[in-house]
Amino acid sequence: MTAITKQKPIAVGFTARVLSLSAMAVLGGLLVGGVGFANIPALHNAAHDVRHTLSFPCH
């Protein structure tokens, strides 16, 4: 016998959305910026290409 249950959607408040989007933006900025200054040429070049793709001036 199988029971079927309905799940209610989880309500996410405005503050939680803003906080999560802000955290993602900061993490993304740190990732692109941190990798851009890496001593490994492959990582640096990858970050450099991403900056150009996003129209971010880097030089």
Side-chain angles (χ1 to χ4, degrees), residues 32-33 47-48 50-59:
V32 170
H48 188 256
V50 170
R51 285 187 195 136
H52 280 292
T53 303
L54 297 174
S55 300
F56 184 81
C58 58
H59 50 85

Side-chain angles (χ1 to χ4, degrees), residues 3-40:
I4 299 174
T5 60
K6 290 186 178 181
Q7 294 180 346
K8 295 181 181 179
I10 298 173
V12 178
F14 179 74
T15 305
R17 288 181 186 180
V18 170
L19 183 61
S20 63
L21 288 173
S22 299
M24 286 188 285
V26 168
L27 181 62
L30 289 174
L31 182 66
V32 170
V35 171
F37 291 108
N39 289 329
I40 302 170

